Amino acid sequence: MGLIIMLIVGGLIGWLAGAILGKDIPGGILGNIIAGIIGAWLGSAIFGHWGPSFGGISIFPALIGTIILVAIVSFIFGAMRKRK
């Protein structure tokens, strides 16, 4: 049950980060889940574990980490498109 909650929270965080930045995350729902989970790991590694936590994911560091991840990935993909 904990894994399902973690996937749902990761997906919501990925979606929210994409909405805040106005960027679409490639891969749809699966992309949102992956970005949310990787962003949660990144945010927790940089900012620690603080604020509310759902499914083992601290919401605020996860959201900040996911925003950073989406911004970096968008920048890289944008640079690759301009190069072609």
Side-chain angles (χ1 to χ4, degrees):
M1 187 68 167
L3 178 63
I4 294 171
I5 293 173
M6 185 175 69
L7 293 174
I8 291 170
V9 172
L12 289 173
I13 290 173
W15 170 79
L16 186 58
I20 289 171
L21 289 175
K23 307 281 184 184
D24 286 333
I25 298 172
I29 294 171
L30 186 59
N32 285 334
I33 292 170
I34 292 170
I37 291 173
I38 293 173
W41 173 80
L42 178 67
S44 295
I46 295 172
F47 302 109
H49 301 279
W50 52 275
S53 177
F54 296 105
I57 296 176
S58 299
I59 301 301
F60 296 125
L63 183 58
I64 294 168
T66 306
I67 288 171
I68 292 168
L69 177 70
V70 170
I72 290 170
V73 169
S74 295
F75 177 76
I76 291 170
F77 279 129
M80 289 173 58
R81 283 188 203 129
K82 289 179 184 177
R83 189 183 293 178
K84 287 184 178 182

